[in-house]
């Protein structure tokens, strides 16, 4: 896990490039959404909502959805995708909602950019007693083949036996134990856009222009020469990891 300063620098890298992020990043499988939204939930808060890749599913399941994100560019795309959602431009460490306001808080592929102690306290404040806090990530499985060639050029988050525990901390007091779930699935993806997908990762986005050019050329060389990539589309072996914890009654 990057140190605090590097984590902040990477998080800020998503202030731009919203359209590319939205075009190439995946959504979330229905099985995972079933876990993070308990039956009877009426009002859900999504932290770090980005362009609404999860929000678009939340608004189909819950009467009221509130989203928070620090990027106005990403929220602009979210507004087109999920206009029903109430938007708040801000951060997870300071949530502009009243106490005991929501039934569920979720965050998708964003918890590792948040301060776990401050955010846990804020989530506990806005949740109703007994409310659920759910954290969800999409990760690529570390399978043999071209994935390994890409990882050697640009390390990025992949699913391992330890999952995201190696990269992020569990929510802290006053939350109870965290239960983890792992959901494997396949994403069919156009080969010609593989390099574009990998350039949405924060490790690439904080590079200098020269470093980015070198990195893209190296990734493109793998696409052009690897025998497994000489086809129109490839299978990305995904694992969605879900963490769920509860606020005491």
């Amino acid at each position: 896990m990057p140190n605090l300063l590097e984590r902040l620098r990477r998080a800020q890298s998503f202030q731009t490039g919203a359209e590319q992020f939205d075009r190439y990043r995946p959504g979330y499988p229905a099985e995972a959404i079933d876990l993070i939204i308990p039956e009877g939930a009426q009002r859900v808060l999504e932290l770090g909502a980005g362009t609404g890749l999860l929000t678009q599913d939340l608004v189909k399941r819950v009467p009221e959805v509130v989203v928070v994100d620090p990027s106005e560019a990403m929220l602009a795309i979210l507004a087109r995708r999920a206009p029903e959602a109430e938007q708040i431009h801000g951060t997870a460490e300071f949530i502009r909602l009243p106490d005991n306001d929501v039934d569920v808080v979720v965050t998708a592929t964003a918890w590792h950019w948040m301060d776990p102690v401050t955010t846990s306290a804020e989530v506990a404040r806005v949740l109703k007693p007994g409310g659920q806090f759910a954290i969800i990530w999409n990760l690529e499985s570390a399978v043999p083949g071209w994935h390994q060639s890409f990882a050697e050029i640009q390390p990025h988050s992949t699913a391992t036996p330890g999952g995201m525990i190696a990269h992020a901390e569990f929510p802290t007091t006053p939350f109870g134990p965290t239960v983890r779930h792992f959901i494997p699935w396949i994403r069919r993806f156009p080969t010609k856009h593989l390099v574009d997908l990998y350039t949405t990762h924060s490790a690439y986005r904080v590079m200098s222009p020269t470093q980015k050019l070198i990195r893209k050329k190296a990734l493109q060389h793998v696409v052009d020469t690897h025998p497994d990539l000489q086809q129109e589309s490839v299978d990305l072996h995904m694992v969605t990891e879900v963490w769920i914890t509860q606020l005491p009654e």
Side-chain angles (χ1 to χ4, degrees):
M1 181 67 189
N3 61 35
L4 178 59
L5 290 178
E6 178 65 8
R7 185 171 65 185
L8 291 173
R9 187 168 79 102
R10 290 195 183 189
Q12 287 297 314
S13 73
F14 294 107
Q15 293 287 350
T16 60
E19 294 284 352
Q20 185 179 33
F21 182 97
D22 184 67
R23 187 177 302 118
Y24 300 121
R25 287 295 187 97
Y28 298 87
E31 185 179 348
I33 299 170
D34 290 341
L35 289 171
I36 67 176
I37 303 299
E39 186 176 352
Q42 296 296 304
R43 183 167 167 82
V44 172
L45 166 64
E46 183 185 357
L47 298 176
T51 62
L53 293 172
L54 175 62
T55 318
Q56 63 186 344
D57 295 307
L58 297 180
V59 296
K60 297 173 184 176
R61 293 171 177 248
V62 186
E64 297 181 36
V65 175
V66 185
V67 300
V68 172
D69 199 273
S71 170
E72 291 184 350
M74 287 197 171
L75 286 175
I77 296 174
L78 185 149
R80 300 197 298 267
R81 170 174 277 129
E84 309 94 323
E86 174 189 345
Q87 289 193 13
I88 298 176
H89 179 240
T91 68
E93 290 82 3
F94 181 71
I95 303 169
R96 292 187 285 116
L97 288 176
D99 296 355
N100 306 324
D101 186 58
V102 297
D103 302 304
V104 180
V105 176
V106 301
T107 183
T109 316
W111 172 251
H112 51 300
W113 303 130
M114 302 172 187
D115 179 88
V117 175
T118 305
T119 302
S120 293
E122 272 291 87
V123 170
R125 180 184 65 78
V126 301
L127 268 176
K128 295 177 183 177
Q132 177 170 287
F133 184 24
I135 299 167
I136 182 172
W137 281 280
N138 275 328
L139 305 165
E140 285 183 40
S141 291
V143 297
W146 66 267
H147 299 81
Q148 292 179 329
S149 299
F150 264 43
E152 290 170 3
I153 298 169
Q154 178 166 306
H156 59 282
S157 295
T158 56
T160 65
M164 279 299 296
I165 190 64
H167 303 279
E169 302 174 37
F170 288 135
T172 60
T173 304
F175 288 98
T178 299
V179 178
R180 302 168 71 198
H181 305 265
F182 298 87
I183 302 167
W185 57 288
I186 299 292
R187 183 189 187 198
R188 195 70 180 167
F189 193 82
T191 308
K192 66 181 182 179
H193 292 309
L194 276 175
V195 174
D196 297 315
L197 170 63
Y198 279 75
T199 60
T200 67
H201 295 172
S202 63
Y204 174 87
R205 297 183 62 77
V206 296
M207 290 179 176
S208 70
T210 299
Q211 290 173 319
K212 287 180 178 179
L213 181 61
I214 294 171
R215 184 64 53 90
K216 285 188 73 171
K217 285 184 176 180
L219 292 172
Q220 188 62 52
H221 178 73
V222 175
V223 172
D224 294 338
T225 60
H226 199 288
D228 294 342
L229 295 178
Q230 306 314 303
Q231 50 188 321
E232 289 189 2
S233 60
V234 292
D235 287 340
L236 300 182
H237 295 261
M238 310 295 296
V239 175
T240 296
E241 182 170 352
V242 180
W243 293 1
I244 295 178
T245 187
Q246 305 289 144
L247 189 66
E249 293 280 357

